[in-house]
Amino acid sequence: MDAAASDSVFVIDHPVIQTKLTELRDVTADHRKFRTLLDEIAGLMVYEVTRDWPTRPQPVRTPLEQTTGRVLARQVTLVPILRAGLGMSDGVLRMLPEARLGHLGVYRDEKTLEPVSYYQKLPPDIAQTEVLLIDPMLATGGSGSAAISFLKKAGVTNMRFVCLVAAPEGIAALHAQHPEVPIYCAAIDRQLNERGYILPGLGDAGDRIFGT
Ligand code: PRP
Ligand code: URA
């Protein structure tokens, strides 16, 4: 894993993830293939994203003797940003099956590129948990920043933003508002185009996942 633009931006450059990301970017990948790849990459990213989470000792009896293992110290909450974040949920949940789920509905206004929040539902005790905020794309950073602001209002202090492709503009904007929130991604792409799409990117993630 590369610590990239700053100490709190991590690029997970694992060869298996990079291979799948390249297949995902391919314009000829249909929604079935796109969904499968996104799900697989999200699951693989969990290993690096959670690498330094705290653990606590837990007694366990093996078939041979009593010993002490280690388990995650805190409960986990997964928060996909709707819609496209849903495409990563199952992959992450396979690795963290005890996690609870919150949902934040945010879309980008196509003209202004400003985030529009339309739905929020979080577990009541989310503030005491480790939170993974997931969305495949960090473009202008508006949607991610709005989601983080909402999580902070709910008392969340331990959170990580996990995306696939990040634009330099989005990283800068998100960290201007929320410098303490680490960003994990599989790639930092070149730039945004005039319509706020990431170049080279992978297109509109939501449309490619859902076939819309
Ligand atoms: C996409 C993506 C992010 C957002 C990123 O969602 O999934 O949420 O754009 O762009 P930003 O960083 O400039 O805010 P979109 O608005 O297309 O909504 P959808 O997931 O419902 O398709
Ligand atoms: N949202 C997407 O889905 N793709 C982009 O390139 C930018 C924002």
Side-chain angles (χ1 to χ4, degrees), residues 2 4 31 42 47 51 56 62 73 102 107 133 149 154 192 197 199:
D2 269 0
H31 57 269
Y47 291 101
R51 177 176 286 278
R56 61 175 167 77
T62 78
Y107 71 86
L133 179 63
S149 296
L192 297 179
Y197 279 87
L199 297 174

Side-chain angles (χ1 to χ4, degrees), residues 81-84 106-108 135-143 204 206:
I81 300 179
L82 310 181
R83 290 177 304 165
V106 186
Y107 71 86
R108 265 192 343 174
D135 188 326
M137 310 305 279
L138 176 61
T140 65
S143 305
D204 188 305

